[in-house]
């Protein structure tokens, strides 16, 4: 597990747990860190690809079907974390760090939960989004087929398998 590089360095911001972290302690390879509060917090940056949470084929499907309402051309990590932030406003801190050249990203999110739990939450919320979209289909057979598949879908098992297939322990994860 990655630990912050220089404890207490740089501009600080308050975490959802009440502790604070120095911006310069975060780097693009971090997925989580052990906090002084005793918990492990997930770290996500806008430069992290959505493939961190979802298989590339699913990201491609979502990008083809989900229209974004911001300046982004396609669905990305910013949108996934926006959904998480909307669902868990008190458990996610979003920080604009675009002006901090040490970090290398524009937005950073730190959550009350660790990276594995965040991964599960992202998958759960995407499944809910897909269920909502399918419920508006005019094809009852497609709706029934989707509902049958989702009844058998185990988020925890999916996340465990997906994380096992990718190297989430090293600094750089890669597709399996």
């Amino acid at each position: 597990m990655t630990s912050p590089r220089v404890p207490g360095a740089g501009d600080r911001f308050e975490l959802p747990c009440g502790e604070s972290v120095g911006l310069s302690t975060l780097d693009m390879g971090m997925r989580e860190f052990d906090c002084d509060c005793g918990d492990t917090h997930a770290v996500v940056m806008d430069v992290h690809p959505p493939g961190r949470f979802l298989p590339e084929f699913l990201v491609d499907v979502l990008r083809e079907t989900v229209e974004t309402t911001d300046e982004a051309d396609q669905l990305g990590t910013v949108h996934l974390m926006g959904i998480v932030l909307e669902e868990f406003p008190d458990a996610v801190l979003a920080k604009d760090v675009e002006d901090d050249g040490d970090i290398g990203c524009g937005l950073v999110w730190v959550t009350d939960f660790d990276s594995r739990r965040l991964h599960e939450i992202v998958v759960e919320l995407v499944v809910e989004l897909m269920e909502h979209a399918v419920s508006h289909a005019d094809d009852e057979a497609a709706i029934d087929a989707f509902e049958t598949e989702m009844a058998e879908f185990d988020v925890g098992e999916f996340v465990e398998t997906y994380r096992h297939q990718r190297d989430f322990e090293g600094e750089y994860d890669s597709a399996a």
Side-chain angles (χ1 to χ4, degrees), residues 74-143:
Q74 58 189 0
L75 180 121
T77 300
V78 170
H79 302 97
L80 295 177
M81 290 307 298
I83 295 168
V84 174
L85 181 61
E86 185 176 311
E87 193 71 25
F88 299 94
D90 296 333
V92 180
L93 173 75
K95 182 82 171 161
D96 181 346
V97 294
E98 189 172 342
D99 295 333
D100 187 324
D102 291 335
I103 296 177
C105 66
L107 291 170
V108 64
W109 297 267
V110 178
T111 70
D112 261 352
F113 13 84
D114 65 19
S115 64
R116 187 180 195 297
R117 179 64 187 130
L118 174 61
H119 196 161
E120 291 172 345
I121 289 168
V122 169
V123 172
E124 289 166 357
L125 293 174
V126 167
V127 167
E128 284 180 21
L129 176 75
M130 292 167 40
E131 286 175 334
H132 179 76
V134 168
S135 73
H136 291 286
D138 291 331
D139 185 347
E140 285 298 321
I143 294 171

Side-chain angles (χ1 to χ4, degrees), residues 42-54:
V43 176
V44 180
M45 298 180 184
D46 60 351
V47 295
H48 294 155
R52 171 179 174 174
F53 302 107
L54 305 167

Side-chain angles (χ1 to χ4, degrees), residues 3 13 28-30 32 47 57 66 71 104-105 120 123 133 137 164:
S3 296
F13 64 97
M28 290 191 294
M30 291 181 84
E32 60 186 17
V47 295
F57 80 87
V66 175
E71 63 273 355
C105 66
E120 291 172 345
V123 172
H164 179 71

